[in-house]
Amino acid sequence: MSDRSAALVESLQDHFGDRIDKLQSTRHGVILEVSPAHLSAICQTLRDEFKFEMLMDLAGVDYMAYGVAEWSTEDSTREGFSRGVQSKTFGRFSFHDAPPLDQHTGPRFAVAYQLLSIQRNQRLLLKVYCTDDALPVVPSVADLWSAANWYEREAFDLYGIIFEGHPDLRRILTDYGFIGHPFRKDFPLIGNVEMRYDEQQERVVYEPVSVEPRVLVPRVIRDDHRYLDNTKGSKRTDA
């Protein structure tokens, strides 16, 4: 931990005390976790007193499939690569036949804020976990950082996270009639519907998805078995 990071961690701990859920310094920077109930007041203090005057980014996070791998490469074939696909995630399923994912414990949704202090040349990652998985809600910070207006609408559109107090919370990337939130882990890669222009009706029509759900699996290159001595299990030295 650098001296600047250590000083920031100490200042945050002294100022916020038991309102902090978790505070740590990593090689990527200082990470501060708070509850939604304390978010507005803490963000106000971070901007005014700690001089984090710029919100660099705001993103939603879905931990539903956290730690679940789509493929396994522990077993390889004699041809030099493995395609050991394990159908564990939602990429190859529709809404109705997807398997349950219950490996992750704790809140499913979170919001991550990347803050920058230009005056002090410091960065801070602020994380807030939503208390309700069925209806994730956190307070809006659009009144503190104007950039949050667009970011919060994006997180609402893609993750379905509600930002309470946002002045204009509506979809910003998907269509008006879009169903679901495409960045959620239980949203199939093929989507729910497809649209096309119907020349007879002279309008855009929505239809059920016609493509087959599948996931492309990368090839994992192994040692070429042609240059191995099958009797001794070592590489041949003769050309």
Side-chain angles (χ1 to χ4, degrees):
M1 182 188 304
S2 65
D3 295 339
R4 292 172 57 84
S5 297
L8 178 58
V9 169
E10 184 178 356
S11 299
L12 293 172
Q13 187 64 60
D14 294 340
H15 197 99
F16 297 120
D18 56 1
R19 289 185 292 173
I20 296 177
D21 292 343
K22 188 176 181 180
L23 178 61
Q24 60 179 332
S25 178
T26 67
R27 62 188 180 93
H28 301 293
V30 178
I31 302 176
L32 173 64
E33 295 182 10
V34 300
S35 64
H38 299 139
L39 178 64
S40 297
I42 288 178
C43 285
Q44 180 87 46
T45 304
L46 290 175
R47 188 195 67 173
D48 298 340
E49 299 187 25
F50 287 86
K51 305 305 179 182
F52 286 100
E53 63 267 39
M54 182 174 293
L55 175 65
M56 299 293 293
D57 191 20
L58 182 157
V61 184
D62 184 0
Y63 286 98
M64 184 177 185
Y66 184 74
V68 180
E70 175 67 25
W71 57 78
S72 175
T73 58
E74 294 179 356
D75 299 326
S76 61
T77 65
R78 296 294 297 176
E79 283 72 27
F81 59 89
S82 171
R83 297 182 66 87
V85 179
Q86 300 176 356
S87 304
K88 291 184 177 181
T89 58
F90 288 86
R92 54 182 64 250
F93 300 98
S94 66
F95 276 115
H96 306 290
D97 60 0
L101 291 179
D102 54 0
Q103 287 86 348
H104 178 71
T105 59
R108 174 180 173 182
F109 295 102
V111 182
Y113 306 79
Q114 297 282 353
L115 304 179
L116 171 65
S117 173
I118 300 178
Q119 179 176 337
R120 299 181 178 178
N121 191 24
Q122 287 183 317
R123 292 179 181 269
L124 175 67
L125 172 59
L126 176 65
K127 293 184 69 175
V128 180
Y129 288 88
C130 304
T131 57
D132 188 358
D133 293 346
L135 185 63
V137 180
V138 297
S140 173
V141 295
D143 58 334
L144 300 176
W145 295 286
S146 58
N149 191 310
W150 196 99
Y151 291 140
E152 289 178 349
R153 286 183 59 187
E154 180 187 39
F156 164 72
D157 191 359
L158 301 179
Y159 289 93
I161 300 175
I162 306 297
F163 293 88
E164 190 174 17
H166 190 282
D168 187 23
L169 192 62
R170 55 193 171 92
R171 292 186 181 273
I172 193 172
L173 297 177
T174 59
D175 194 12
Y176 293 106
F178 194 86
I179 300 175
H181 304 282
F183 275 17
R184 287 192 175 189
K185 297 303 181 182
D186 54 358
F187 190 89
L189 295 181
I190 62 172
N192 188 33
V193 296
E194 61 185 27
M195 63 180 184
R196 63 176 179 85
Y197 181 78
D198 191 297
E199 296 182 353
Q200 295 182 350
Q201 302 183 45
E202 297 183 348
R203 66 180 181 88
V204 175
V205 296
Y206 290 85
E207 298 174 340
V209 179
S210 59
V211 298
E212 178 183 355
R214 64 189 182 95
V215 174
L216 298 179
V217 181
R219 298 197 308 176
V220 180
I221 305 301
R222 309 290 184 181
D223 290 334
D224 197 327
H225 72 283
R226 294 173 297 176
Y227 297 96
L228 292 177
D229 187 342
N230 295 328
T231 60
K232 297 181 179 180
S234 59
K235 289 188 177 181
R236 296 186 305 185
T237 57
D238 57 318

PDB file of all heavy atoms in Angstrom, residues 148-168:
ATOM      1  N   ALA A 148     -23.636  11.395 -13.869  1.00  0.00           N
ATOM      2  CA  ALA A 148     -24.390  10.237 -13.401  1.00  0.00           C
ATOM      3  C   ALA A 148     -25.746  10.125 -14.093  1.00  0.00           C
ATOM      4  O   ALA A 148     -26.336   9.030 -14.111  1.00  0.00           O
ATOM      5  CB  ALA A 148     -24.595  10.321 -11.888  1.00  0.00           C
ATOM      6  N   ASN A 149     -26.246  11.196 -14.652  1.00  0.00           N
ATOM      7  CA  ASN A 149     -27.552  11.150 -15.321  1.00  0.00           C
ATOM      8  C   ASN A 149     -27.556  10.101 -16.423  1.00  0.00           C
ATOM      9  O   ASN A 149     -28.444   9.238 -16.489  1.00  0.00           O
ATOM     10  CB  ASN A 149     -27.886  12.533 -15.886  1.00  0.00           C
ATOM     11  CG  ASN A 149     -29.320  12.638 -16.366  1.00  0.00           C
ATOM     12  OD1 ASN A 149     -29.808  11.790 -17.115  1.00  0.00           O
ATOM     13  ND2 ASN A 149     -29.998  13.685 -15.928  1.00  0.00           N
ATOM     14  N   TRP A 150     -26.561  10.161 -17.310  1.00  0.00           N
ATOM     15  CA  TRP A 150     -26.471   9.203 -18.420  1.00  0.00           C
ATOM     16  C   TRP A 150     -26.112   7.821 -17.904  1.00  0.00           C
ATOM     17  O   TRP A 150     -26.694   6.815 -18.309  1.00  0.00           O
ATOM     18  CB  TRP A 150     -25.431   9.678 -19.424  1.00  0.00           C
ATOM     19  CG  TRP A 150     -25.512   9.000 -20.771  1.00  0.00           C
ATOM     20  CD1 TRP A 150     -26.107   9.497 -21.881  1.00  0.00           C
ATOM     21  CD2 TRP A 150     -24.990   7.715 -21.125  1.00  0.00           C
ATOM     22  NE1 TRP A 150     -25.974   8.601 -22.926  1.00  0.00           N
ATOM     23  CE2 TRP A 150     -25.307   7.497 -22.485  1.00  0.00           C
ATOM     24  CE3 TRP A 150     -24.307   6.727 -20.443  1.00  0.00           C
ATOM     25  CZ2 TRP A 150     -24.944   6.354 -23.163  1.00  0.00           C
ATOM     26  CZ3 TRP A 150     -23.942   5.568 -21.109  1.00  0.00           C
ATOM     27  CH2 TRP A 150     -24.257   5.394 -22.452  1.00  0.00           C
ATOM     28  N   TYR A 151     -25.135   7.732 -16.991  1.00  0.00           N
ATOM     29  CA  TYR A 151     -24.669   6.436 -16.479  1.00  0.00           C
ATOM     30  C   TYR A 151     -25.786   5.675 -15.762  1.00  0.00           C
ATOM     31  O   TYR A 151     -25.913   4.448 -15.904  1.00  0.00           O
ATOM     32  CB  TYR A 151     -23.491   6.639 -15.534  1.00  0.00           C
ATOM     33  CG  TYR A 151     -22.222   7.100 -16.198  1.00  0.00           C
ATOM     34  CD1 TYR A 151     -21.411   8.055 -15.595  1.00  0.00           C
ATOM     35  CD2 TYR A 151     -21.815   6.580 -17.427  1.00  0.00           C
ATOM     36  CE1 TYR A 151     -20.238   8.481 -16.193  1.00  0.00           C
ATOM     37  CE2 TYR A 151     -20.644   7.001 -18.031  1.00  0.00           C
ATOM     38  CZ  TYR A 151     -19.863   7.955 -17.410  1.00  0.00           C
ATOM     39  OH  TYR A 151     -18.698   8.369 -18.007  1.00  0.00           O
ATOM     40  N   GLU A 152     -26.574   6.373 -14.976  1.00  0.00           N
ATOM     41  CA  GLU A 152     -27.651   5.708 -14.238  1.00  0.00           C
ATOM     42  C   GLU A 152     -28.746   5.220 -15.173  1.00  0.00           C
ATOM     43  O   GLU A 152     -29.324   4.145 -14.953  1.00  0.00           O
ATOM     44  CB  GLU A 152     -28.222   6.660 -13.178  1.00  0.00           C
ATOM     45  CG  GLU A 152     -27.261   6.894 -12.024  1.00  0.00           C
ATOM     46  CD  GLU A 152     -27.788   7.865 -10.999  1.00  0.00           C
ATOM     47  OE1 GLU A 152     -28.820   8.522 -11.272  1.00  0.00           O
ATOM     48  OE2 GLU A 152     -27.197   7.975  -9.908  1.00  0.00           O
ATOM     49  N   ARG A 153     -29.028   5.968 -16.212  1.00  0.00           N
ATOM     50  CA  ARG A 153     -29.998   5.496 -17.197  1.00  0.00           C
ATOM     51  C   ARG A 153     -29.484   4.255 -17.912  1.00  0.00           C
ATOM     52  O   ARG A 153     -30.256   3.340 -18.214  1.00  0.00           O
ATOM     53  CB  ARG A 153     -30.300   6.607 -18.218  1.00  0.00           C
ATOM     54  CG  ARG A 153     -31.166   7.733 -17.690  1.00  0.00           C
ATOM     55  CD  ARG A 153     -31.477   8.745 -18.770  1.00  0.00           C
ATOM     56  NE  ARG A 153     -32.167   8.134 -19.902  1.00  0.00           N
ATOM     57  CZ  ARG A 153     -32.441   8.775 -21.044  1.00  0.00           C
ATOM     58  NH1 ARG A 153     -32.047  10.040 -21.199  1.00  0.00           N
ATOM     59  NH2 ARG A 153     -33.080   8.157 -22.015  1.00  0.00           N
ATOM     60  N   GLU A 154     -28.185   4.205 -18.188  1.00  0.00           N
ATOM     61  CA  GLU A 154     -27.587   3.036 -18.819  1.00  0.00           C
ATOM     62  C   GLU A 154     -27.692   1.812 -17.907  1.00  0.00           C
ATOM     63  O   GLU A 154     -28.055   0.715 -18.346  1.00  0.00           O
ATOM     64  CB  GLU A 154     -26.130   3.316 -19.156  1.00  0.00           C
ATOM     65  CG  GLU A 154     -25.420   2.150 -19.827  1.00  0.00           C
ATOM     66  CD  GLU A 154     -23.944   2.411 -19.992  1.00  0.00           C
ATOM     67  OE1 GLU A 154     -23.338   2.992 -19.071  1.00  0.00           O
ATOM     68  OE2 GLU A 154     -23.388   2.029 -21.035  1.00  0.00           O
ATOM     69  N   ALA A 155     -27.356   1.972 -16.619  1.00  0.00           N
ATOM     70  CA  ALA A 155     -27.440   0.855 -15.677  1.00  0.00           C
ATOM     71  C   ALA A 155     -28.884   0.402 -15.478  1.00  0.00           C
ATOM     72  O   ALA A 155     -29.156  -0.794 -15.320  1.00  0.00           O
ATOM     73  CB  ALA A 155     -26.823   1.253 -14.336  1.00  0.00           C
ATOM     74  N   PHE A 156     -29.812   1.337 -15.500  1.00  0.00           N
ATOM     75  CA  PHE A 156     -31.227   0.974 -15.416  1.00  0.00           C
ATOM     76  C   PHE A 156     -31.667   0.185 -16.631  1.00  0.00           C
ATOM     77  O   PHE A 156     -32.379  -0.829 -16.524  1.00  0.00           O
ATOM     78  CB  PHE A 156     -32.082   2.243 -15.267  1.00  0.00           C
ATOM     79  CG  PHE A 156     -33.541   2.022 -15.563  1.00  0.00           C
ATOM     80  CD1 PHE A 156     -34.339   1.310 -14.678  1.00  0.00           C
ATOM     81  CD2 PHE A 156     -34.113   2.506 -16.730  1.00  0.00           C
ATOM     82  CE1 PHE A 156     -35.688   1.092 -14.952  1.00  0.00           C
ATOM     83  CE2 PHE A 156     -35.455   2.295 -17.006  1.00  0.00           C
ATOM     84  CZ  PHE A 156     -36.241   1.585 -16.116  1.00  0.00           C
ATOM     85  N   ASP A 157     -31.235   0.614 -17.793  1.00  0.00           N
ATOM     86  CA  ASP A 157     -31.619  -0.041 -19.040  1.00  0.00           C
ATOM     87  C   ASP A 157     -31.037  -1.449 -19.128  1.00  0.00           C
ATOM     88  O   ASP A 157     -31.737  -2.411 -19.461  1.00  0.00           O
ATOM     89  CB  ASP A 157     -31.164   0.801 -20.223  1.00  0.00           C
ATOM     90  CG  ASP A 157     -31.754   0.338 -21.543  1.00  0.00           C
ATOM     91  OD1 ASP A 157     -32.517  -0.652 -21.547  1.00  0.00           O
ATOM     92  OD2 ASP A 157     -31.440   0.956 -22.581  1.00  0.00           O
ATOM     93  N   LEU A 158     -29.764  -1.607 -18.819  1.00  0.00           N
ATOM     94  CA  LEU A 158     -29.076  -2.868 -19.044  1.00  0.00           C
ATOM     95  C   LEU A 158     -29.205  -3.840 -17.874  1.00  0.00           C
ATOM     96  O   LEU A 158     -29.143  -5.056 -18.066  1.00  0.00           O
ATOM     97  CB  LEU A 158     -27.600  -2.606 -19.342  1.00  0.00           C
ATOM     98  CG  LEU A 158     -27.328  -1.722 -20.562  1.00  0.00           C
ATOM     99  CD1 LEU A 158     -25.836  -1.527 -20.741  1.00  0.00           C
ATOM    100  CD2 LEU A 158     -27.951  -2.312 -21.818  1.00  0.00           C
ATOM    101  N   TYR A 159     -29.352  -3.328 -16.652  1.00  0.00           N
ATOM    102  CA  TYR A 159     -29.404  -4.197 -15.470  1.00  0.00           C
ATOM    103  C   TYR A 159     -30.735  -4.146 -14.729  1.00  0.00           C
ATOM    104  O   TYR A 159     -30.994  -4.997 -13.879  1.00  0.00           O
ATOM    105  CB  TYR A 159     -28.291  -3.827 -14.482  1.00  0.00           C
ATOM    106  CG  TYR A 159     -26.913  -4.189 -14.958  1.00  0.00           C
ATOM    107  CD1 TYR A 159     -26.128  -3.274 -15.642  1.00  0.00           C
ATOM    108  CD2 TYR A 159     -26.384  -5.451 -14.707  1.00  0.00           C
ATOM    109  CE1 TYR A 159     -24.853  -3.600 -16.077  1.00  0.00           C
ATOM    110  CE2 TYR A 159     -25.109  -5.791 -15.142  1.00  0.00           C
ATOM    111  CZ  TYR A 159     -24.354  -4.857 -15.818  1.00  0.00           C
ATOM    112  OH  TYR A 159     -23.091  -5.192 -16.245  1.00  0.00           O
ATOM    113  N   GLY A 160     -31.557  -3.153 -14.995  1.00  0.00           N
ATOM    114  CA  GLY A 160     -32.820  -3.035 -14.276  1.00  0.00           C
ATOM    115  C   GLY A 160     -32.674  -2.484 -12.881  1.00  0.00           C
ATOM    116  O   GLY A 160     -33.556  -2.678 -12.027  1.00  0.00           O
ATOM    117  N   ILE A 161     -31.599  -1.777 -12.600  1.00  0.00           N
ATOM    118  CA  ILE A 161     -31.391  -1.170 -11.281  1.00  0.00           C
ATOM    119  C   ILE A 161     -32.116   0.172 -11.229  1.00  0.00           C
ATOM    120  O   ILE A 161     -31.942   1.014 -12.123  1.00  0.00           O
ATOM    121  CB  ILE A 161     -29.892  -0.992 -10.997  1.00  0.00           C
ATOM    122  CG1 ILE A 161     -29.185  -2.349 -11.015  1.00  0.00           C
ATOM    123  CG2 ILE A 161     -29.665  -0.296  -9.666  1.00  0.00           C
ATOM    124  CD1 ILE A 161     -27.675  -2.269 -10.856  1.00  0.00           C
ATOM    125  N   ILE A 162     -32.915   0.379 -10.201  1.00  0.00           N
ATOM    126  CA  ILE A 162     -33.680   1.610 -10.045  1.00  0.00           C
ATOM    127  C   ILE A 162     -32.847   2.630  -9.270  1.00  0.00           C
ATOM    128  O   ILE A 162     -32.317   2.316  -8.197  1.00  0.00           O
ATOM    129  CB  ILE A 162     -35.002   1.354  -9.305  1.00  0.00           C
ATOM    130  CG1 ILE A 162     -35.804   0.234  -9.998  1.00  0.00           C
ATOM    131  CG2 ILE A 162     -35.825   2.636  -9.212  1.00  0.00           C
ATOM    132  CD1 ILE A 162     -36.220   0.555 -11.404  1.00  0.00           C
ATOM    133  N   PHE A 163     -32.738   3.840  -9.798  1.00  0.00           N
ATOM    134  CA  PHE A 163     -32.021   4.918  -9.120  1.00  0.00           C
ATOM    135  C   PHE A 163     -33.038   5.922  -8.613  1.00  0.00           C
ATOM    136  O   PHE A 163     -33.563   6.745  -9.366  1.00  0.00           O
ATOM    137  CB  PHE A 163     -31.009   5.566 -10.072  1.00  0.00           C
ATOM    138  CG  PHE A 163     -29.876   4.646 -10.443  1.00  0.00           C
ATOM    139  CD1 PHE A 163     -29.982   3.791 -11.535  1.00  0.00           C
ATOM    140  CD2 PHE A 163     -28.723   4.610  -9.678  1.00  0.00           C
ATOM    141  CE1 PHE A 163     -28.944   2.937 -11.870  1.00  0.00           C
ATOM    142  CE2 PHE A 163     -27.684   3.751 -10.008  1.00  0.00           C
ATOM    143  CZ  PHE A 163     -27.788   2.912 -11.100  1.00  0.00           C
ATOM    144  N   GLU A 164     -33.310   5.828  -7.345  1.00  0.00           N
ATOM    145  CA  GLU A 164     -34.353   6.639  -6.721  1.00  0.00           C
ATOM    146  C   GLU A 164     -33.962   8.113  -6.720  1.00  0.00           C
ATOM    147  O   GLU A 164     -32.870   8.483  -6.284  1.00  0.00           O
ATOM    148  CB  GLU A 164     -34.591   6.162  -5.293  1.00  0.00           C
ATOM    149  CG  GLU A 164     -35.801   6.769  -4.626  1.00  0.00           C
ATOM    150  CD  GLU A 164     -36.067   6.162  -3.270  1.00  0.00           C
ATOM    151  OE1 GLU A 164     -35.157   5.527  -2.719  1.00  0.00           O
ATOM    152  OE2 GLU A 164     -37.190   6.320  -2.759  1.00  0.00           O
ATOM    153  N   GLY A 165     -34.851   8.954  -7.234  1.00  0.00           N
ATOM    154  CA  GLY A 165     -34.595  10.379  -7.298  1.00  0.00           C
ATOM    155  C   GLY A 165     -34.002  10.851  -8.611  1.00  0.00           C
ATOM    156  O   GLY A 165     -33.726  12.041  -8.775  1.00  0.00           O
ATOM    157  N   HIS A 166     -33.810   9.934  -9.568  1.00  0.00           N
ATOM    158  CA  HIS A 166     -33.283  10.330 -10.877  1.00  0.00           C
ATOM    159  C   HIS A 166     -34.321  11.184 -11.595  1.00  0.00           C
ATOM    160  O   HIS A 166     -35.511  10.858 -11.602  1.00  0.00           O
ATOM    161  CB  HIS A 166     -32.949   9.095 -11.708  1.00  0.00           C
ATOM    162  CG  HIS A 166     -32.177   9.402 -12.960  1.00  0.00           C
ATOM    163  ND1 HIS A 166     -32.782   9.914 -14.093  1.00  0.00           N
ATOM    164  CD2 HIS A 166     -30.853   9.276 -13.253  1.00  0.00           C
ATOM    165  CE1 HIS A 166     -31.872  10.080 -15.032  1.00  0.00           C
ATOM    166  NE2 HIS A 166     -30.693   9.701 -14.550  1.00  0.00           N
ATOM    167  N   PRO A 167     -33.916  12.280 -12.231  1.00  0.00           N
ATOM    168  CA  PRO A 167     -34.899  13.176 -12.854  1.00  0.00           C
ATOM    169  C   PRO A 167     -35.564  12.627 -14.104  1.00  0.00           C
ATOM    170  O   PRO A 167     -36.650  13.090 -14.477  1.00  0.00           O
ATOM    171  CB  PRO A 167     -34.060  14.425 -13.190  1.00  0.00           C
ATOM    172  CG  PRO A 167     -32.661  13.916 -13.325  1.00  0.00           C
ATOM    173  CD  PRO A 167     -32.544  12.797 -12.337  1.00  0.00           C
ATOM    174  N   ASP A 168     -34.955  11.656 -14.779  1.00  0.00           N
ATOM    175  CA  ASP A 168     -35.520  11.166 -16.045  1.00  0.00           C
ATOM    176  C   ASP A 168     -35.073   9.724 -16.272  1.00  0.00           C
ATOM    177  O   ASP A 168     -34.355   9.432 -17.235  1.00  0.00           O
ATOM    178  CB  ASP A 168     -35.079  12.068 -17.202  1.00  0.00           C
ATOM    179  CG  ASP A 168     -35.765  11.701 -18.513  1.00  0.00           C
ATOM    180  OD1 ASP A 168     -36.853  11.090 -18.464  1.00  0.00           O
ATOM    181  OD2 ASP A 168     -35.203  11.999 -19.582  1.00  0.00           O
TER     182      ASP A 168
END
